[in-house]
Amino acid sequence: MEKWYLMTAVVLIGLTVRWTVSLNSYSGAGKPPMFGDYEAQRHWQEITFNLPIKQWYFNSSDNNLQYWGLDYPPLTAYHSLLCAYVAEFINPDWIALHTSRGYESQAHKLFMRTTVLIADLLIYIPAVVLYCCCLKEISIKKRIAKVLCILLYPGLILIDYGHFQYNSVSLGFALWGVLGVCYDWDLLGSLAFCLAINYKQMELYHSLPFFCFLLGKCFKKGLKGKGFVLLIKLACTVVAAFLLCWMPFFTEREQTLQVLRRLFPVDRGLFEDKVANVWCSFSVFLKIKDILPHHIQIIISFCFTFLSLLPACIKLTLHPSPKGFKFTLVSCALSFFLFSFQVHEKSILLVSLPVCLVLSEIPFMSTWFLLVSTFSMLPLLLKDELLMPSVVTMMAFFIACATSFSIFEKTSEEELQLKSFSISVRKYFPCFTFLPRIILHLFLFSVITMVLLTLMTVTLDPPQRLPDLFSVLVCFVSCLNFLFFWVYFNIIIMWDSKNGRNPKKIN
Amino acid sequence: MAALRVATGAGNWFSALALGVTLLKCLLIPTYHSTDFEVHRNWLAITHSLPISQWYYEATSEWTLDYPPFFAWFEYALSHVAKYFDQEMLNVHNLNYSSSRTLLFQRFSVIFTDALFVYAVYECCKCIEGKKAGKELTEKPKFILSVLLLWNFGLLIVDHIHFQYNGFLSGLMLLSIARLFQKRHMEGAFLFAVLLHFKHIYLYVAPAYGIYLLRSYCFTANKPDGSIRWNSFSFVRLISLGLIVFLVSALSLGPFLALNQLPQVFSRLFPFKRGLCHAYWAPNFWALYSALDKVLSVIGLELKLLDPNKVPKASMTSGLVQQFQHTVLPSVTPLATLICTLIAILPSIFCLWFKPQGPRGFLRCLILCALSSFMFGWHVHEKAILLAVLPMSLLSVGKAGDASIFLILTTTGHYSLFPLLFTAPELPIKILLMLLFTIYSISSLKTLFRKEKPLFNWMETFYLLGLGPLEVFCEFVFPFTSWKLKYPFIPLLLTSVYCAVGITYAWFRLYVSVLSDPPVGKTKKQ
């Protein structure tokens, strides 16, 4: 590739922005007794390093599960162990059992930030670069621009390098999975995706599209011949990957069950804090959390999630295509985020990743969505004192997208991928030609509300009776946006006629 | 909506580049800042709370006001914004005060005044004719030039991490150069006069301005062979130029003349009491000279040619000693450096006078002046290399030879700035930004001149690649060796000597190219 130097420059810009954001504060900095996610990660290093593997997920005098107990799958635990060995080499105080609790220092922060950068550099960034390089349908310049935009996506940067988490690992594995599956290295793809699930159980949001796409591929090849072989191979790969990751916990039944209980804490309630999903927004009017009994909440959320993702998944199984796959990833993840049980605000990153992938197909809508997704985490970011980097990275991301894809010139029906939808509506309402204009106005309206709400949250004190007024408003507004996007993405999937034979209306 | 479209359209790459780098500067706000931060805070306090008559006498802090009056007025103006951020920073006795609001204000003052730099770059891109190249945007000389200037590594780390106001000062210089290119000589002269009264380090390049304006502006015509036509001298032009310079100087120094304080002002501006080299040797001729002295003294001690009792104990790199005696070679006096500098500048000035080549020739002379004074000046800071690097960017997109010199000069010059940032959190930033700038500048210029012969010969390639191992050794290997305690100065010494070689080489090559250029007529196009 002759333009390799531009690609290098783009990756270096991404890395620089990541590191400069990491100079800022992290979650729970100097806030005893619980601190935040930063302390959680450090605590896991302490636990995995000092305790035998059998005790990692069990409550004991050495492992108080109430204090940031391990609640991620084994791969996260192994990663923590690996980091702990490095930490032990540099300064054993950082991970000493009991005494290191709440340890904070400049050197330790530097170490923790470096671990994130290295993980990112090894897993997520190569996946992004490779994914964009493999895109055949766009020019080299556009590919480089796409890498820039994906790497500058503020949500992931702020959560990983500001708030402190290792989302780039799980998202990176998922991206490797997408890459593999889209380019017919199905086994590698499914292996990578298994690793993603085993790093963070939240990756299950993506599992249905993967399952449907691969199943669809098998169907397409004929279930009696090659398709069946592929299916068996895939099943073996998945089982083997899981066995490998879970080996130490499969020795005893109780171990496995305990890990599962830690991973899926069904007794923790419908949602936590303020999340921009349907349930949290709906609680503004009706406190479902308090009214309905626990098991009903679970059933309702399950039904809603299932119904909302069903159409897209069926369509994908029947007409598997890489493009449909990516859009289904978006809509399924969004369905999970909006309707499922126990959602965190950070889970929106799982939707953002596939949206990043379709950035060049629908630049305008993707940019909009990615801005809203970052905005929806505003209360969290403000709590971590990340206002400045948030605003700056969001502006940088917007400028990068707007300049490299000239998004405002791509708002015709064709470019919004709404052509076939509009045509079929026009059969009934011939004057239905104003959709792009409406969408443009909605965009303006949405951006203005986001800016105003940000300004209000930062400058005004909420009234005493409603201390959470602004964060609830942020979630509510974001939720409305997300519902709109959910409808939009489902329309695209349903009316996508390039690969299906005749566009049919399911919902 | 329309405004948004204009602001973000694909054609408007310049604003995207400028906004992008501005946002990067905002991200650099929480990074380490040096004592220069306190220097400028102190100047804010001095100019805000004291009468003019006290500005150049105040000495509560060790960081006394040692820039010319316009800069003092600039700080005065800033202080009137600063009071809305944090009144406390304007107290002269509040030494080392750095609340988060102070930090925010000072950092933003640098970022905002950089607007002038952005405008100057915009003007420069309009008037610099680069090599005609491909249609693609990223291969256009204007695009490359604006990246090289706007995203300049040196400016980013010196201004926005280390903390100084070089951005808008360089902006003034570039703008005055652009005006000369646009044949708006009076404006150019005015801007440069103003610049001189902002920061007197620009005196180094004043000869280039003086000679160029005299030769190519006051003399309105040349003979056909390019030599001077004496009867074309225009007194009106000379007088108006003189008037501009006089008025600007009067405005700046007048109040202090009225207060009878000029000697005090000048003693602050030119402190010759400092040593030959800064604590960290700027990579110039004297670094090589001192290194040679050190080597000779070590050899001398080994061979018992020198008496160990006579060798001064204080080593030059320890950073504590301001006055320093060379052991073997003769010690250098300020006068000697002044003479060396003048001798080094003279040929380029002669060239400008006898072989006038329009604004391009002026630009070359200006760069040579800046580089020569960097090479031989007294107490040169490593940051002064920016004075040559930025104007050199303008030349780099024109000819392959200039591009090659530019790349060697910039890469070594920028690398020599590394010791400015010695804190661990900033280590990745400086390495990443340096890689970003170096890879981009080398590759884009290579693409621009791909049809001509390669930009580097094997020796230059080898030298530039050597910077990598040097960095690895200095920052990753050396701290873990046992020499760290015994010879703590080795990394700085190596860096400065290694870079001095490159900069001397670039200076030499530029001189050769200027002196050997075909005279007038053939190359004169402007």
Side-chain angles (χ1 to χ4, degrees), chain A residues 3-6 8-9 12-13 15-17 19-21 23-24 110 141 388-389 392-393 395-396 398-399 402-403 406 408-409 440 444, chain B residues 1 4-5 8-10 16 19 23-24 26-31 108 136 138-139 424-425 428-429 432-433 435-436 439-440 443-444 447:
Chain A
K3 291 271 166 61
W4 65 269
Y5 73 94
L6 285 178
T8 322
L12 285 170
I13 291 177
L15 286 173
T16 313
V17 171
W19 190 260
T20 47
V21 169
L23 296 174
N24 288 281
L110 204 62
K141 232 172 92 187
M388 180 81 180
V392 172
T393 48
M395 280 163 66
F398 178 69
I399 292 171
T403 318
S406 37
F408 295 109
E409 286 147 34
L440 215 56
L444 268 192
Chain B
M1 200 80 231
L4 251 181
R5 249 176 237 183
T8 58
L19 280 173
L23 292 172
L24 181 64
C26 293
L27 283 178
L28 293 175
I29 287 176
T31 51
F108 271 125
E136 207 153 342
T138 48
E139 288 176 18
I429 298 184
L432 288 170
L433 281 177
L435 277 178
L436 176 66
I439 290 179
Y440 179 81
S443 312
S444 62
T447 320

Side-chain angles (χ1 to χ4, degrees), chain B residues 48 50 60-61 69 77 121 168 204 209 270 283 318 337 353 381 400 407 419 460 510 515 522:
Chain B
H48 187 80
L50 298 176
T60 308
S61 159
V121 174
F168 90 94
Y204 285 145
Y209 272 91
F270 302 101
S318 65
T337 63
W353 182 269
H381 282 240
L407 289 174
E460 294 159 347
L510 186 64
L515 294 178
K522 288 173 193 166

Side-chain angles (χ1 to χ4, degrees), chain B residues 265-520:
Chain B
V265 173
F266 279 113
S267 75
R268 282 281 175 87
L269 296 191
F270 302 101
F272 272 105
K273 288 186 196 90
R274 295 186 189 173
L276 172 65
C277 294
H278 198 54
Y280 153 64
W281 303 352
N284 60 6
F285 177 77
W286 302 122
L288 293 177
Y289 185 84
S290 309
L292 183 67
D293 179 72
K294 196 125 198 159
V295 171
L296 287 181
S297 73
V298 169
I299 294 175
L301 285 177
E302 286 289 311
L303 299 179
K304 306 257 169 22
L305 294 175
L306 285 174
D307 181 6
N309 298 324
K310 281 185 187 166
V311 175
K313 280 277 176 269
S315 83
M316 194 163 181
T317 28
S318 65
L320 301 168
V321 188
Q322 292 284 312
Q323 297 288 346
F324 172 75
Q325 302 283 316
H326 285 99
T327 343
V328 184
L329 300 171
S331 282
V332 183
T333 61
L335 188 66
T337 63
L338 190 66
I339 293 171
C340 285
T341 314
L342 283 180
I343 292 176
I345 286 179
L346 268 182
S348 68
I349 298 290
F350 273 115
C351 233
L352 189 62
W353 182 269
F354 291 109
K355 289 199 302 186
Q357 296 180 340
R360 271 203 110 74
F362 155 71
L363 191 52
R364 284 159 173 277
C365 179
L366 182 147
I367 296 163
L368 278 176
C369 284
L371 259 184
S372 305
S373 40
F374 179 84
M375 290 298 301
F376 298 103
W378 179 260
H379 194 82
V380 176
H381 282 240
E382 64 278 28
K383 286 158 261 178
I385 194 65
L386 290 179
L387 206 65
V389 165
L390 291 170
M392 190 75 205
S393 318
L394 299 177
L395 281 183
S396 69
V397 290
K399 278 198 331 201
D402 289 337
S404 158
I405 298 171
F406 165 77
L407 289 174
I408 297 169
L409 177 71
T410 314
T411 312
T412 43
H414 283 169
Y415 181 79
S416 74
L417 296 174
F418 266 29
L420 277 182
L421 307 180
F422 47 83
T423 43
E426 280 70 27
L427 180 70
I429 298 184
K430 73 178 180 188
I431 293 179
L432 288 170
L433 281 177
M434 173 83 186
L435 277 178
L436 176 66
F437 187 83
T438 309
I439 290 179
Y440 179 81
S441 58
I442 293 181
S443 312
S444 62
L445 288 175
K446 265 191 176 162
T447 320
L448 187 65
F449 298 107
R450 68 188 146 212
K451 299 216 174 89
E452 288 161 51
K453 69 178 172 61
L455 291 184
F456 302 123
N457 59 31
W458 65 269
M459 205 173 63
E460 294 159 347
T461 316
F462 186 75
Y463 173 80
L464 288 181
L465 286 177
L467 289 172
L470 181 66
E471 167 68 5
V472 171
F473 174 76
C474 289
E475 308 232 27
F476 298 98
V477 178
F478 186 79
F480 300 103
T481 58
S482 55
W483 294 341
K484 187 179 188 281
L485 296 173
K486 220 168 147 196
Y487 307 106
F489 55 84
I490 281 188
L492 289 183
L493 182 93
L494 277 180
T495 307
S496 124
V497 170
Y498 195 88
C499 291
V501 172
I503 290 178
T504 313
Y505 176 77
W507 172 74
F508 187 72
R509 254 191 76 180
L510 186 64
Y511 237 124
V512 169
S513 89
V514 167
L515 294 178
S516 63
D517 240 13
V520 249

Side-chain angles (χ1 to χ4, degrees), chain B residues 140-257:
Chain B
K140 284 197 169 133
K142 286 182 185 186
F143 181 86
I144 296 175
L145 178 60
S146 34
V147 177
L148 292 183
L149 287 171
L150 289 175
W151 286 72
N152 183 281
F153 167 80
L155 271 186
L156 274 179
I157 72 161
V158 173
D159 275 17
H160 301 278
I161 300 182
H162 178 84
F163 198 85
Q164 276 193 350
Y165 289 93
N166 293 299
F168 90 94
L169 296 171
S170 314
L172 269 176
M173 181 171 71
L174 290 181
L175 196 58
S176 86
I177 293 174
R179 291 300 179 236
L180 292 187
F181 268 81
Q182 293 161 343
K183 305 270 176 230
R184 291 152 73 172
H185 295 88
M186 299 297 269
E187 256 179 274
F190 169 74
L191 286 169
F192 184 70
V194 171
L195 176 63
L196 270 185
H197 288 280
F198 265 108
K199 192 170 179 179
H200 49 302
I201 195 176
Y202 290 94
L203 269 176
Y204 285 145
V205 296
Y209 272 91
I211 299 297
Y212 175 69
L213 287 172
L214 194 63
R215 176 69 180 82
S216 302
Y217 182 64
C218 294
F219 287 96
T220 49
N222 283 333
K223 285 182 188 161
D225 65 340
S227 62
I228 196 160
R229 180 174 295 197
W230 291 99
N231 58 7
S232 71
F233 187 69
S234 156
F235 267 107
V236 181
R237 290 188 169 186
L238 182 69
I239 290 171
S240 41
L241 275 179
L243 205 62
I244 282 184
V245 175
F246 175 76
L247 283 180
V248 170
S249 308
L251 194 65
S252 158
L253 298 173
F256 299 95
L257 188 68

